[in-house]
Amino acid sequence: MTFQSLSIGNTVSFTTVFWSLIWVFIHMLFNPLQVGSLTLPNRILLAPLTRARADAGHMPNALMAQYYSQRATGGLLISECTMVAPGTSAFVNEPGIYNGAQIAAWRQVTDAVHAKGGRIFLQIWHAGRAAYPGAADGAPIVSSSATAIEGEIHTPQGKVPHAVPRPLTVEEIPGIVAAFAQGARNAIAAGFDGVEVHGANGYLIDQFLRDTPNQRTDAYGGSLENRARLLFEVLTAVTQAIGSERVGLRLSPLNSFNSMKDSHPLALIGFLADRLNAFKLAYLHVMRADFFGVQKADVMPVAREKYKGVLVGNMGYSADEAEAAIAEGKLDAVAFGTAFLANPDLPARIRAKAPLNAPDSNTFYAGGAKGYTDYPTLQVA
Protein backbone atom coordinates (compact mmCIF):
# COMPACT_ATOMS: atom_id res chain seq x y z
CA MET A 1 0.00 0.00 0.00
CA THR A 2 1.43 3.37 -0.95
CA PHE A 3 1.01 6.64 0.91
CA GLN A 4 -0.97 7.94 -2.03
CA SER A 5 -3.59 5.22 -1.74
CA LEU A 6 -4.18 5.50 2.02
CA SER A 7 -7.13 7.73 2.88
CA ILE A 8 -8.58 9.05 6.09
CA GLY A 9 -12.35 9.30 6.17
CA ASN A 10 -12.33 8.71 2.39
CA THR A 11 -11.55 12.39 1.86
CA VAL A 12 -8.03 13.26 3.04
CA SER A 13 -5.03 11.27 1.83
CA PHE A 14 -2.22 10.26 4.16
CA THR A 15 0.14 12.19 1.90
CA THR A 16 -1.90 15.37 2.38
CA VAL A 17 -1.91 14.97 6.15
CA PHE A 18 1.78 14.10 6.25
CA TRP A 19 2.91 17.08 4.23
CA SER A 20 0.51 19.38 6.04
CA LEU A 21 2.14 18.39 9.33
CA ILE A 22 5.59 18.92 7.85
CA TRP A 23 4.55 22.36 6.58
CA VAL A 24 3.22 23.29 10.04
CA PHE A 25 6.48 22.23 11.68
CA ILE A 26 8.66 24.04 9.17
CA HIS A 27 6.51 27.18 9.18
CA MET A 28 5.99 27.60 12.91
CA LEU A 29 5.91 31.36 12.50
CA PHE A 30 2.63 31.00 10.61
CA ASN A 31 0.82 28.88 13.18
CA PRO A 32 -1.99 30.77 14.96
CA LEU A 33 -1.33 31.80 18.55
CA GLN A 34 -3.79 32.68 21.30
CA VAL A 35 -2.68 35.87 23.06
CA GLY A 36 -5.18 36.85 25.71
CA SER A 37 -8.51 37.17 23.95
CA LEU A 38 -6.90 37.53 20.51
CA THR A 39 -6.11 34.75 18.06
CA LEU A 40 -3.04 35.86 16.14
CA PRO A 41 -2.81 34.52 12.56
CA ASN A 42 0.98 34.33 12.81
CA ARG A 43 3.76 34.69 15.36
CA ILE A 44 5.58 37.57 13.65
CA LEU A 45 5.13 40.60 15.89
CA LEU A 46 6.10 44.21 15.27
CA ALA A 47 8.41 45.22 18.11
CA PRO A 48 7.87 48.66 19.65
CA LEU A 49 10.09 51.13 17.80
CA THR A 50 10.37 54.81 18.63
CA ARG A 51 10.05 56.73 15.35
CA ALA A 52 9.49 60.32 16.61
CA ARG A 53 6.84 61.22 14.02
CA ALA A 54 4.14 62.60 16.36
CA ASP A 55 2.92 66.16 15.95
CA ALA A 56 3.23 68.98 18.48
CA GLY A 57 1.52 68.16 21.74
CA HIS A 58 2.60 64.52 21.36
CA MET A 59 -0.28 64.03 18.94
CA PRO A 60 -0.60 60.91 16.72
CA ASN A 61 -1.25 61.70 13.06
CA ALA A 62 -2.20 60.33 9.64
CA LEU A 63 1.40 59.47 8.76
CA MET A 64 1.56 57.21 11.80
CA ALA A 65 -1.72 55.61 10.76
CA GLN A 66 -0.20 54.82 7.37
CA TYR A 67 2.96 53.38 8.95
CA TYR A 68 1.14 50.99 11.28
CA SER A 69 -1.51 49.94 8.77
CA GLN A 70 1.24 49.06 6.26
CA ARG A 71 2.42 46.45 8.80
CA ALA A 72 -1.03 45.10 9.71
CA THR A 73 -0.23 41.58 8.44
CA GLY A 74 1.93 41.02 11.51
CA GLY A 75 0.36 38.78 14.12
CA LEU A 76 0.37 41.68 16.57
CA LEU A 77 1.65 45.23 16.26
CA ILE A 78 3.13 46.81 19.39
CA SER A 79 3.25 50.57 19.17
CA GLU A 80 6.12 52.87 20.00
CA CYS A 81 6.51 54.01 23.61
CA THR A 82 3.65 56.35 24.49
CA MET A 83 3.58 58.80 27.40
CA VAL A 84 1.06 58.18 30.17
CA ALA A 85 1.68 61.60 31.71
CA PRO A 86 2.70 65.05 30.46
CA GLY A 87 6.21 66.28 31.13
CA THR A 88 7.83 62.86 30.66
CA SER A 89 9.15 63.19 27.11
CA ALA A 90 12.48 61.60 26.21
CA PHE A 91 12.28 61.92 22.41
CA VAL A 92 10.51 65.30 21.89
CA ASN A 93 8.18 63.91 19.20
CA GLU A 94 6.90 60.69 20.74
CA PRO A 95 3.10 60.32 21.16
CA GLY A 96 1.02 60.55 24.32
CA ILE A 97 -2.16 58.93 25.63
CA TYR A 98 -3.01 61.23 28.56
CA ASN A 99 -5.68 63.55 27.12
CA GLY A 100 -8.83 63.44 25.03
CA ALA A 101 -7.27 64.95 21.91
CA GLN A 102 -4.61 62.23 21.85
CA ILE A 103 -7.24 59.52 22.32
CA ALA A 104 -9.17 60.87 19.34
CA ALA A 105 -6.00 61.17 17.24
CA TRP A 106 -4.97 57.58 17.99
CA ARG A 107 -8.34 56.46 16.62
CA GLN A 108 -7.13 57.09 13.08
CA VAL A 109 -4.27 54.65 13.74
CA THR A 110 -6.33 51.88 15.30
CA ASP A 111 -9.09 52.24 12.71
CA ALA A 112 -6.54 52.00 9.89
CA VAL A 113 -4.93 48.87 11.36
CA HIS A 114 -8.27 47.18 12.04
CA ALA A 115 -9.49 48.02 8.54
CA LYS A 116 -6.58 45.93 7.24
CA GLY A 117 -7.49 43.06 9.58
CA GLY A 118 -4.67 43.78 12.04
CA ARG A 119 -4.34 43.81 15.80
CA ILE A 120 -2.46 46.47 17.79
CA PHE A 121 -1.36 47.02 21.41
CA LEU A 122 -0.25 50.42 22.73
CA GLN A 123 3.01 50.45 24.67
CA ILE A 124 2.43 52.65 27.73
CA TRP A 125 5.45 54.33 29.23
CA HIS A 126 6.99 56.79 31.67
CA ALA A 127 10.52 57.95 30.86
CA GLY A 128 11.61 58.66 34.42
CA ARG A 129 15.18 59.97 34.48
CA ALA A 130 15.43 59.55 30.69
CA ALA A 131 13.15 62.56 30.16
CA TYR A 132 15.03 65.51 28.72
CA PRO A 133 15.68 68.60 30.87
CA GLY A 134 12.83 71.02 30.33
CA ALA A 135 10.33 68.33 29.35
CA ALA A 136 8.49 68.80 32.64
CA ASP A 137 8.18 72.60 32.26
CA GLY A 138 10.47 73.34 35.15
CA ALA A 139 9.41 70.41 37.34
CA PRO A 140 12.24 68.04 38.31
CA ILE A 141 12.97 64.86 36.43
CA VAL A 142 12.09 61.88 38.66
CA SER A 143 13.44 58.35 39.10
CA SER A 144 14.01 55.68 41.71
CA SER A 145 17.14 57.48 42.95
CA ALA A 146 19.31 60.52 42.32
CA THR A 147 21.48 58.72 39.75
CA ALA A 148 21.79 60.34 36.32
CA ILE A 149 22.19 58.74 32.91
CA GLU A 150 25.68 59.25 31.51
CA GLY A 151 26.20 61.47 28.49
CA GLU A 152 23.88 63.83 26.65
CA ILE A 153 20.31 63.83 25.37
CA HIS A 154 18.62 65.53 22.41
CA THR A 155 16.26 68.38 23.31
CA PRO A 156 14.46 71.05 21.26
CA GLN A 157 17.44 73.28 22.07
CA GLY A 158 20.07 70.74 21.04
CA LYS A 159 22.12 68.24 23.04
CA VAL A 160 22.45 68.76 26.79
CA PRO A 161 23.67 66.57 29.66
CA HIS A 162 21.11 64.30 31.27
CA ALA A 163 19.58 65.78 34.41
CA VAL A 164 20.18 64.38 37.87
CA PRO A 165 16.71 63.11 38.81
CA ARG A 166 14.87 63.62 42.08
CA PRO A 167 13.91 60.35 43.78
CA LEU A 168 10.17 59.78 43.82
CA THR A 169 8.70 59.87 47.30
CA VAL A 170 6.61 56.97 48.52
CA GLU A 171 3.64 59.34 48.55
CA GLU A 172 4.10 60.17 44.85
CA ILE A 173 4.22 56.58 43.62
CA PRO A 174 0.44 55.96 43.69
CA GLY A 175 0.09 58.84 41.22
CA ILE A 176 2.48 57.11 38.83
CA VAL A 177 0.55 53.86 39.16
CA ALA A 178 -2.72 55.69 38.52
CA ALA A 179 -1.26 57.31 35.39
CA PHE A 180 -0.46 53.89 33.92
CA ALA A 181 -3.96 52.62 34.71
CA GLN A 182 -5.56 55.68 33.13
CA GLY A 183 -3.27 55.36 30.13
CA ALA A 184 -4.53 51.80 29.69
CA ARG A 185 -8.16 52.92 29.87
CA ASN A 186 -7.42 55.67 27.37
CA ALA A 187 -5.79 53.14 25.03
CA ILE A 188 -8.92 51.00 25.00
CA ALA A 189 -11.01 54.14 24.40
CA ALA A 190 -8.73 54.89 21.45
CA GLY A 191 -9.50 51.49 19.92
CA PHE A 192 -6.37 49.53 20.87
CA ASP A 193 -6.74 45.80 21.45
CA GLY A 194 -4.59 46.03 24.57
CA VAL A 195 -1.48 47.59 26.07
CA GLU A 196 2.12 46.62 26.66
CA VAL A 197 3.55 47.99 29.90
CA HIS A 198 7.08 49.25 29.20
CA GLY A 199 9.33 47.81 31.89
CA ALA A 200 12.51 47.85 29.83
CA ASN A 201 15.42 49.88 28.42
CA GLY A 202 16.17 52.10 31.38
CA TYR A 203 12.86 53.91 31.68
CA LEU A 204 11.00 54.48 34.94
CA ILE A 205 9.84 50.96 35.83
CA ASP A 206 13.23 49.54 34.81
CA GLN A 207 14.94 52.24 36.92
CA PHE A 208 13.29 50.62 39.93
CA LEU A 209 13.86 47.00 38.82
CA ARG A 210 17.62 47.05 38.37
CA ASP A 211 19.99 47.54 41.27
CA THR A 212 22.52 49.93 39.70
CA PRO A 213 20.15 52.89 39.29
CA ASN A 214 17.98 51.93 42.27
CA GLN A 215 19.78 53.01 45.44
CA ARG A 216 16.67 53.22 47.62
CA THR A 217 16.55 51.87 51.15
CA ASP A 218 12.75 51.97 51.58
CA ALA A 219 10.06 49.50 50.46
CA TYR A 220 10.94 50.17 46.78
CA GLY A 221 14.65 49.35 46.98
CA GLY A 222 17.11 46.68 48.03
CA SER A 223 15.59 43.22 47.61
CA LEU A 224 14.15 41.83 44.38
CA GLU A 225 10.72 41.94 45.98
CA ASN A 226 11.09 45.62 46.81
CA ARG A 227 12.57 46.64 43.47
CA ALA A 228 9.73 44.87 41.66
CA ARG A 229 7.08 46.52 43.83
CA LEU A 230 6.39 49.40 41.43
CA LEU A 231 6.08 47.03 38.47
CA PHE A 232 3.67 44.76 40.33
CA GLU A 233 1.60 47.73 41.51
CA VAL A 234 1.39 49.03 37.94
CA LEU A 235 0.40 45.61 36.58
CA THR A 236 -2.22 45.19 39.29
CA ALA A 237 -3.76 48.57 38.48
CA VAL A 238 -3.60 48.12 34.70
CA THR A 239 -5.03 44.59 34.69
CA GLN A 240 -7.83 45.69 37.00
CA ALA A 241 -8.54 48.62 34.68
CA ILE A 242 -8.80 46.75 31.37
CA GLY A 243 -8.46 43.01 32.08
CA SER A 244 -5.29 40.94 32.23
CA GLU A 245 -6.02 39.36 28.82
CA ARG A 246 -5.36 42.79 27.28
CA VAL A 247 -2.02 43.42 29.01
CA GLY A 248 1.51 42.49 27.96
CA LEU A 249 4.84 43.41 29.54
CA ARG A 250 8.27 44.13 28.10
CA LEU A 251 11.49 43.52 30.07
CA SER A 252 15.19 43.92 29.23
CA PRO A 253 17.26 42.37 32.03
CA LEU A 254 20.54 42.79 30.09
CA ASN A 255 20.21 45.98 28.05
CA SER A 256 22.66 48.67 29.21
CA PHE A 257 20.96 51.44 27.23
CA ASN A 258 20.38 54.53 29.40
CA SER A 259 23.27 53.57 31.71
CA MET A 260 21.51 50.48 33.03
CA LYS A 261 22.98 47.42 34.71
CA ASP A 262 21.94 44.79 37.21
CA SER A 263 24.31 42.75 39.33
CA HIS A 264 22.36 39.53 38.84
CA PRO A 265 20.29 39.66 35.63
CA LEU A 266 19.51 35.94 35.60
CA ALA A 267 18.17 36.11 39.15
CA LEU A 268 16.15 39.18 38.19
CA ILE A 269 14.48 37.61 35.14
CA GLY A 270 13.90 34.34 37.00
CA PHE A 271 12.22 36.11 39.92
CA LEU A 272 10.08 38.28 37.67
CA ALA A 273 9.07 35.50 35.27
CA ASP A 274 7.95 33.30 38.15
CA ARG A 275 5.97 36.02 39.92
CA LEU A 276 4.36 37.26 36.69
CA ASN A 277 2.44 34.01 36.28
CA ALA A 278 -0.04 35.23 38.88
CA PHE A 279 -1.06 38.17 36.66
CA LYS A 280 -2.26 35.94 33.79
CA LEU A 281 -0.95 38.44 31.23
CA ALA A 282 -1.52 38.21 27.49
CA TYR A 283 2.24 37.76 27.06
CA LEU A 284 5.70 38.43 28.46
CA HIS A 285 8.05 40.11 25.97
CA VAL A 286 11.77 39.73 26.76
CA MET A 287 14.68 41.47 25.05
CA ARG A 288 17.39 38.84 25.10
CA ALA A 289 20.54 40.92 24.69
CA ASP A 290 22.29 44.21 25.35
CA PHE A 291 22.44 46.84 22.58
CA PHE A 292 26.04 47.56 23.52
CA GLY A 293 27.24 44.07 24.50
CA VAL A 294 28.20 45.16 28.03
CA GLN A 295 26.21 42.47 29.80
CA LYS A 296 26.11 38.92 28.47
CA ALA A 297 23.92 36.08 29.71
CA ASP A 298 21.35 33.66 28.33
CA VAL A 299 18.15 34.99 29.87
CA MET A 300 15.62 33.28 27.60
CA PRO A 301 15.95 29.73 29.01
CA VAL A 302 15.39 31.11 32.50
CA ALA A 303 12.33 33.05 31.35
CA ARG A 304 10.97 29.95 29.56
CA GLU A 305 11.51 27.73 32.58
CA LYS A 306 9.75 30.07 35.00
CA TYR A 307 7.06 31.70 32.87
CA LYS A 308 4.05 29.54 31.95
CA GLY A 309 2.26 31.93 29.62
CA VAL A 310 2.98 33.25 26.12
CA LEU A 311 6.67 34.17 25.86
CA VAL A 312 7.83 36.57 23.13
CA GLY A 313 11.52 36.90 22.26
CA ASN A 314 13.16 39.96 20.74
CA MET A 315 16.52 41.24 19.48
CA GLY A 316 18.40 39.93 16.49
CA TYR A 317 16.31 36.91 15.55
CA SER A 318 16.42 35.81 11.93
CA ALA A 319 13.34 34.11 10.53
CA ASP A 320 15.14 30.76 10.62
CA GLU A 321 16.22 31.16 14.23
CA ALA A 322 12.72 32.25 15.19
CA GLU A 323 11.21 29.20 13.47
CA ALA A 324 13.62 26.89 15.29
CA ALA A 325 13.09 28.52 18.69
CA ILE A 326 9.31 28.20 18.39
CA ALA A 327 9.52 24.62 17.09
CA GLU A 328 11.72 23.68 20.07
CA GLY A 329 9.34 25.29 22.55
CA LYS A 330 11.82 27.97 23.60
CA LEU A 331 9.45 30.76 22.60
CA ASP A 332 5.90 31.25 21.43
CA ALA A 333 6.47 34.25 19.13
CA VAL A 334 9.17 36.68 18.04
CA ALA A 335 8.99 40.47 17.84
CA PHE A 336 10.98 41.83 14.90
CA GLY A 337 12.28 45.40 15.07
CA THR A 338 14.35 46.92 12.29
CA ALA A 339 13.48 44.06 9.92
CA PHE A 340 9.79 44.96 10.22
CA LEU A 341 10.62 48.67 10.07
CA ALA A 342 12.28 48.25 6.67
CA ASN A 343 9.88 45.58 5.39
CA PRO A 344 6.24 46.50 5.91
CA ASP A 345 5.29 43.16 4.33
CA LEU A 346 7.69 41.13 6.48
CA PRO A 347 5.37 38.12 6.93
CA ALA A 348 4.96 37.78 3.16
CA ARG A 349 8.71 38.05 2.63
CA ILE A 350 9.42 35.42 5.26
CA ARG A 351 6.86 33.07 3.77
CA ALA A 352 8.30 33.56 0.28
CA LYS A 353 11.90 33.46 1.56
CA ALA A 354 12.36 36.74 -0.32
CA PRO A 355 15.26 39.13 0.31
CA LEU A 356 14.72 41.89 2.86
CA ASN A 357 15.10 45.64 2.45
CA ALA A 358 17.95 47.04 4.53
CA PRO A 359 16.92 49.57 7.19
CA ASP A 360 18.27 53.12 6.86
CA SER A 361 19.41 54.14 10.34
CA ASN A 362 19.84 57.75 9.22
CA THR A 363 16.04 58.10 8.99
CA PHE A 364 15.00 56.29 12.17
CA TYR A 365 14.16 59.53 14.00
CA ALA A 366 14.39 62.03 11.13
CA GLY A 367 10.71 62.88 10.82
CA GLY A 368 8.59 62.73 7.67
CA ALA A 369 7.79 59.86 5.32
CA LYS A 370 11.35 59.04 4.25
CA GLY A 371 12.51 55.87 5.96
CA TYR A 372 9.09 55.54 7.53
CA THR A 373 6.32 54.84 5.03
CA ASP A 374 8.32 54.62 1.79
CA TYR A 375 10.00 51.21 2.13
CA PRO A 376 9.02 49.07 -0.91
CA THR A 377 6.90 45.94 -0.69
CA LEU A 378 7.25 42.79 -2.78
CA GLN A 379 6.19 43.15 -6.38
CA VAL A 380 3.88 40.29 -7.34
CA ALA A 381 4.00 39.43 -11.05
Side-chain angles (χ1 to χ4, degrees):
M1 181 182 294
T2 66
F3 285 167
Q4 286 79 5
S5 65
L6 180 62
S7 65
I8 299 174
N10 298 320
T11 57
V12 182
S13 72
F14 181 90
T15 303
T16 300
V17 172
F18 176 79
W19 286 111
S20 295
L21 291 173
I22 291 296
W23 190 95
V24 166
F25 181 80
I26 294 173
H27 297 276
M28 295 297 291
L29 281 169
F30 293 94
N31 283 354
L33 176 66
Q34 195 68 31
V35 171
S37 58
L38 296 176
T39 301
L40 309 188
N42 62 64
R43 299 171 185 233
I44 302 166
L45 279 55
L46 172 65
L49 295 162
T50 295
R51 304 306 311 276
R53 260 67 174 192
D55 290 339
H58 303 284
M59 203 67 64
N61 54 44
L63 187 65
M64 292 168 60
Q66 182 183 3
Y67 169 79
Y68 284 109
S69 65
Q70 285 176 338
R71 291 155 180 80
T73 56
L76 178 68
L77 311 184
I78 307 169
S79 85
E80 62 213 274
C81 59
T82 301
M83 300 159 59
V84 297
T88 59
S89 174
F91 299 100
V92 182
N93 293 319
E94 73 272 56
I97 191 65
Y98 52 81
N99 64 40
Q102 292 164 346
I103 294 171
W106 271 117
R107 265 287 177 186
Q108 63 191 311
V109 176
T110 57
D111 285 350
V113 169
H114 291 148
K116 293 280 189 72
R119 297 137 300 276
I120 184 167
F121 273 32
L122 182 72
Q123 189 186 67
I124 53 176
W125 167 77
H126 189 301
R129 69 176 186 169
Y132 67 82
D137 297 324
I141 304 298
V142 297
S143 183
S144 58
S145 306
T147 55
I149 297 172
E150 298 173 3
E152 295 182 318
I153 186 171
H154 289 278
T155 78
Q157 291 75 41
K159 281 188 176 183
V160 300
H162 279 278
V164 177
R166 176 178 63 74
L168 281 164
T169 67
V170 171
E171 292 73 22
E172 290 174 306
I173 288 175
I176 300 290
V177 173
F180 273 96
Q182 189 59 52
R185 293 187 194 96
N186 292 349
I188 299 305
F192 285 93
D193 298 296
V195 301
E196 178 178 276
V197 172
H198 197 338
N201 293 346
Y203 299 111
L204 184 64
I205 291 174
D206 201 23
Q207 292 160 25
F208 276 78
L209 285 175
R210 291 199 260 177
D211 61 9
T212 295
N214 187 341
Q215 302 296 312
R216 301 175 75 101
T217 57
D218 61 11
Y220 291 88
S223 67
L224 284 169
E225 182 79 33
N226 284 356
R227 286 185 276 128
R229 192 179 304 277
L230 175 62
L231 170 63
F232 294 158
E233 289 177 352
V234 166
L235 289 177
T236 297
V238 170
T239 55
Q240 288 176 351
I242 66 170
S244 61
E245 74 281 0
R246 290 175 158 179
V247 181
L249 170 66
R250 194 182 206 206
L251 298 173
S252 62
L254 293 176
N255 197 7
S256 62
F257 181 69
N258 280 328
S259 301
M260 294 297 293
K261 188 177 181 182
D262 190 82
S263 300
H264 304 287
L266 292 177
L268 176 63
I269 190 60
F271 170 81
L272 293 174
D274 181 59
R275 290 290 300 274
L276 288 169
N277 289 309
F279 289 93
K280 312 245 180 249
L281 300 175
Y283 63 83
L284 172 61
H285 180 185
V286 179
M287 300 174 69
R288 65 173 174 169
D290 178 1
F291 284 153
F292 305 112
V294 175
Q295 289 199 290
K296 299 181 186 295
D298 196 355
V299 299
M300 298 311 296
V302 178
R304 176 79 290 176
E305 177 188 358
K306 298 289 186 179
Y307 190 65
K308 308 309 178 187
V310 172
L311 181 62
V312 180
N314 172 239
M315 291 188 78
Y317 286 89
S318 67
D320 288 343
E321 186 185 9
E323 292 269 14
I326 294 169
E328 294 166 18
K330 296 177 179 179
L331 299 170
D332 299 295
V334 171
F336 293 88
T338 54
F340 219 151
L341 179 161
N343 298 273
D345 56 349
L346 183 64
R349 288 176 183 266
I350 290 175
R351 189 187 289 273
K353 297 191 178 299
L356 301 183
N357 302 320
D360 178 5
S361 60
N362 294 320
T363 63
F364 283 0
Y365 315 106
K370 184 173 175 55
Y372 190 56
T373 57
D374 63 347
Y375 282 106
T377 56
L378 285 173
Q379 298 301 308
V380 180

